[in-house]
Each structure stands twice: as structure tokens, then as C-alpha cells.
Amino acid sequence: MKRDDIRQQLTALQAQDVPRHGGSTFAYVYDSGRPDIDALGLEALAMFGESNGLDPTAFPSLLAMERDLVAMAAELLNAPDGFAGTVTSGGTESILLAVQTARDARSDVDRPSMVLPSTAHAAFHKAAHYFGVRAVVVPVDPHTHRADVTAMTAAIEQSTVLVVGSAPSYAHGVIDPISALAAAAAERGVRFHVDACIGGWVLPFLDGVRPWDFSVAGVTSVSVDLHKYAYAPKGVSVLLHRNRTLRQPQFFACADWPGYTMLNSTTQSTRSGGPLAAAWAVTRAHGVDGYAELAKRARAATTRFVDGLPQPLEAVASPESTLVAVRSTDPLVDILVVVDEMQQRGQYVQVQLPFGGDPATMHLSMSAASDQVIEEVLAALVESIDAARDVGPSVVDPALAGAAGALDPATLTDDDFDGLLQIAGLADESGSLALPQRMAPVNALLAIASPALRERLLVAFLDRLTS
Ligand SMILES: *Cc1c(COP(=O)(O)O)cnc(C)c1O
């Protein structure tokens, strides 16, 4: 292909995606509203995209930048002298490594487990699945949506290698009682991880936040994503441990083959220097004062949004950082329909399906750039509510609902899934995938399915999407 045609096609492909800038995409991307610094980050991304973090002696540049990023994170998160940290590819990898490290530090435990609040990020369930660590899930307080200290403490067993809290939780944007949880874990000699993937670069700059970082005794590790509120391009997060001894089992060396001795600090071996260099450039450009300003803007956007929420919508919990979950208090205004209507008005909000007795919600992660569009967002919300009233709630055919309720996902065959994908509106009669404009009917069906069935159905969908 000719270079110009390639560029044209790339541009055309990208036009299908949600906007990465403008502040109206409330999940997936984070916009600082500083295109000059974004450009600098992308310059660094390109400059180091061919460099390989596999061997820090061959690429000392990457080692130097990694040390700088870890040091900046350590300072923001009040890590004590002797801390140790690693730059990873994202929040999930930071969490996977925190769980794997906690597991491997405990050779005395045969069948390791970890205690999670029910709001812990799905990445912990992935870690449980990958590493054979049983997840003991403890329901959060139904009113505050924060982890229940008494119940979490009671759930700690001989086999517990890790206890987890979020600062804040993705789904509700509230901070778990980190001090009490960490104390309970420490008293029993168990590690405690704070998942600050989304809050770690915001909370240090807000006033009146309860202690949640390394200033809390008993916190042994913290994860913070730079590709969220550090506004770096995708592929970069930091995992910090209180000391080097705690980090030790994270490292992997293999000399048991005839090639180079493999020596890794993360799950990746060859790893691009691009995201690391981009994060280095972007964090230096914004600086701590810049981030303080950006955090205040994202926080202001959040507060203005919640204060302006039109009836019959309300925030599920009062946001403690920059995330909001919104529910409808009127059964005639279906939040799943509101989400569709918002998207049609260029406001990309995210569906959170009903869970554990709580209704479906609409999620928004506010960027600094969102502050300038809050009036528009609220206006779109008023229109979307009216439209949702007109459209009416998504109803699932009762016969279908009954059938879906009776399904055992474990025994379903591939053919069953083809049928189900059609019923769910995710495929047409020929079996080829069809994503409808309106997702509410699909989400309504997923909403009545059990979490296990949702998982199987969506995996079947992804399987076909990628075939
Ligand atoms: C985003 C997020 C993660 C997962 O991070 P990825 O970068 O998407 O892998 C984990 N925990 C929380 C609280 C998050 O917001």
C-alpha cells in the first residue's frame, strides 16, 4: 500500500472510535485538556517504541525513566524510605503482580486465598483465575458501598495471603476504610493491597480525604495507573511495595534453557519503552503543581455534575474522587435507555449492570477536560431522560426471561450460544455479529442473566467477534 493510503485508512479506522478528547468520553480515556503535553507524550512514545525493557543494561534510558516514575509515585503516595516499585503495562498487570507476589511469598500456605470487598475490581478475579488464589468475596455495606470492616476481618483465614481495598472503587467511586482494613490484615500478618489504579493520581491533591496510602500502617502495596489520571498514553501503571523484601517474589528469572537468562520484573518480557517514556515526558510536563490543578478541575466537574443531576436521577453514593455512578429512582425512566440516549447526544457514558441486588447504573469518570462541558452534559441528560420516558423501559419478553433464568451456563453448547447471541440481539439469523445502535435491549437481557451467564455469553460474543 502507498503511505498516503495507509494514513488515510488509519484515519478512517480511527473515526469509528469514541472521541479521545473533548471531555465527553466518560470511560476508557482521560483528557487533561492540554494538547501540547499530549503531543509531547506521543513524541516520546514514538521515540522509544522500538526500545526494549527486557534488559535494563542494554537500555539504561528505560531504567532511568522507570526509577524517576516510581520515585514520583512514591512521593505522591507517601511511601516510606526503602520502598520498591515497578512500572507495568496497566492496572490489571499491577494487580496480577500484587496477587502473584503475595501468593509466592507464602510457601507455607497450600491453598492460598484472598479477601476482597464485592466492589474490588474484576482484575482481582482475573488474578484469582490465573494464579489459583481463591477469592473470598465479602459484600460491601449496602448503604455506603464501602468495604465492611467487621465482615472482612472475620473472613481472614489461615490461608489468606492478601486483603484488598480500593481508593476509590471503580463502580461507586467511594474509598474503602483503608486504615481499619489494613490494621486487621497487619494484626494477622497478612499483606494489604490498596487498589488506587484510578484514584492514585487524584486523591493526593484533594482536601479532606481519609488516609488511604502508605501513610497507613499495614498497607504493603499500592497500584496506580499513569494511563488514567496522570494523562499518559495507554500502557503504563505503577506497582509500589512498602519495601524490597515484599517485592522480591515478583521477580522471575529463568536460566533453564540454552538462550539468554531471562530476568523479568513484570509478566511481560520484551516490553516497549514507548509507554514508559511517554509517561515520563507527560508527568514531567504537568509536574506536581499541574496535576494538583487537573485533579481540582476533574473534581469540580464531578461536584457540578452531581449537584446538577436532574430528577429522577441520583448519585448512588456521594463521590469521594472523580467517579460517579448514577441510578434512576423512577421505574419509567430506564437508566439503560438513558445511556443510549446520552451516547446519541455525543456523551459517552458507561453501563454498569445490576449486581448483588443493586440496580443498573450509569458510570462517569470525569476528566479535567470534562469541566468545560458539564453544562452540555447536564442538558443532554435532561433531554435523555425525556427521551427515555418516551421510549419506555426496556422489557425482556417474560418467556425469554424465564428461559434465561433457567439456563446453566456450564452445560451450554456452542450452538446454544449461537442461539442466545441471536436472542440477545448480538447476532443476526445468519449468525454474523450485529451490534445494534441501541444497546438497552441487549443490556436488559444481560441484566436479568446471572453474572455467570453474562460472562459466558460475552465470551461467546468475543470469540465470534475475533474469529
Ligand atoms: C482501571 C482500573 C483497574 C484496571 O486497570 P487497567 O489499566 O484497565 O488494566 C483496576 N482497578 C481500578 C480501581 C481501576 O479503575
Side-chain angles (χ1 to χ4, degrees):
M1 287 172 70
K2 293 206 169 57
R3 279 166 227 196
D4 277 348
D5 293 340
I6 293 171
R7 287 196 187 93
Q8 208 169 30
Q9 285 213 16
L10 286 171
T11 306
L13 284 165
Q14 198 162 43
Q16 306 170 7
D17 300 343
V18 295
R20 288 161 294 132
H21 294 284
S24 281
T25 305
F26 297 98
Y28 316 113
V29 299
Y30 302 80
D31 186 1
S32 67
R34 287 294 301 270
D36 54 329
I37 295 180
D38 295 340
L40 182 72
L42 296 177
E43 212 177 296
L45 186 77
M47 197 171 158
F48 283 85
E50 298 156 328
S51 306
N52 192 343
L54 170 65
D55 184 347
T57 65
F59 292 92
S61 60
L62 302 183
L63 179 63
M65 288 189 279
E66 178 165 13
R67 293 172 68 117
D68 285 345
L69 280 177
V70 167
M72 186 173 186
E75 197 168 324
L76 285 179
L77 275 45
N78 292 306
D81 286 349
F83 70 82
T86 306
V87 171
T88 74
S89 65
T92 298
E93 190 181 22
S94 290
I95 287 167
L96 289 176
L97 290 170
V99 173
Q100 173 261 316
T101 303
R103 182 196 68 175
D104 292 346
R106 292 291 299 275
S107 52
D108 58 312
V109 175
D110 268 349
R111 307 185 61 191
S113 61
M114 60 181 160
V115 178
L116 307 176
S118 51
T119 50
H121 194 276
F124 290 96
H125 297 272
K126 189 175 192 176
H129 174 64
Y130 277 14
F131 301 134
V133 176
R134 185 167 50 91
V136 177
V137 179
V138 179
V140 296
D141 180 289
H143 301 293
T144 64
H145 301 278
R146 296 193 191 113
D148 177 338
V149 176
T150 310
M152 293 268 295
T153 306
I156 300 175
E157 321 167 66
Q158 214 65 47
S159 65
T160 307
V161 299
L162 188 68
V163 179
V164 171
S166 310
S169 63
Y170 186 88
H172 303 116
V174 296
I175 303 172
D176 286 328
I178 300 297
S179 297
L181 291 173
E187 210 171 287
R188 290 156 185 79
V190 176
R191 291 182 183 222
F192 186 80
H193 181 82
V194 178
D195 179 6
C197 280
I198 201 154
W201 226 258
V202 171
L203 296 178
F205 306 109
L206 303 186
D207 297 326
V209 177
R210 286 169 289 120
W212 60 274
D213 61 12
F214 284 105
S215 62
V216 176
V219 168
T220 52
S221 57
V222 181
S223 49
V224 52
D225 293 349
L226 303 181
H227 61 205
K228 287 177 181 159
Y229 285 100
Y231 299 102
K234 295 307 171 212
V236 60
S237 169
V238 173
L239 172 61
L240 282 176
H241 298 272
R242 185 174 282 275
N243 59 52
R244 282 166 47 219
T245 310
L246 288 165
R247 181 177 64 177
Q248 197 67 45
Q250 182 189 312
F251 291 160
F252 181 82
C254 179
D256 200 12
W257 74 306
Y260 59 88
T261 298
M262 200 169 79
L263 178 59
N264 300 150
S265 57
T266 69
T267 54
Q268 291 184 308
S269 193
T270 284
R271 46 176 183 147
S272 171
L276 167 68
W280 188 88
V282 166
T283 51
R284 254 110 282 259
H286 287 298
V288 171
D289 292 343
Y291 283 120
E293 183 59 35
L294 294 171
K296 288 192 171 73
R297 292 237 308 277
R299 175 69 183 168
T302 311
T303 310
R304 287 171 56 211
F305 175 77
V306 171
D307 290 347
L309 268 178
Q311 288 289 333
L313 302 188
E314 65 179 19
V316 172
S318 180
E320 292 186 277
S321 74
T322 53
L323 318 183
V324 197
V326 176
R327 66 182 164 209
S328 170
T329 58
D330 181 347
L332 296 178
V333 175
D334 183 346
I335 199 74
L336 298 174
V337 179
V338 174
V339 167
D340 280 350
E341 293 295 335
M342 285 292 276
Q343 298 200 349
Q344 292 193 353
R345 289 165 177 78
Q347 307 295 341
Y348 297 92
V349 293
Q350 194 179 42
V351 165
Q352 299 187 134
L353 292 174
F355 182 78
D358 290 331
T361 58
M362 172 173 88
H363 170 100
L364 295 90
S365 290
M366 296 287 177
S367 288
S370 305
D371 196 32
Q372 75 212 356
V373 294
I374 288 303
E375 257 78 75
E376 277 169 54
V377 178
L378 288 170
L381 205 46
V382 170
E383 285 180 27
S384 297
I385 291 166
D386 285 346
R389 241 184 247 288
D390 290 345
V391 172
S394 290
V395 278
V396 179
D397 180 79
L400 184 57
L407 290 174
D408 175 6
T411 60
L412 292 174
T413 65
D414 219 40
D415 285 345
D416 294 333
F417 278 112
D418 279 327
L420 276 171
L421 287 172
Q422 277 180 39
I423 292 170
L426 291 169
D428 65 20
E429 267 118 69
S430 69
S432 47
L433 294 176
L435 258 195
Q437 273 286 331
R438 294 186 159 271
M439 287 301 291
V442 177
N443 284 323
L445 188 64
L446 289 173
I448 57 163
S450 67
L453 182 57
R454 288 175 199 168
E455 289 167 358
R456 292 296 305 275
L457 203 55
L458 289 172
V459 166
F461 174 68
L462 184 61
D463 172 55
R464 284 143 183 87
L465 198 62
T466 55
S467 296

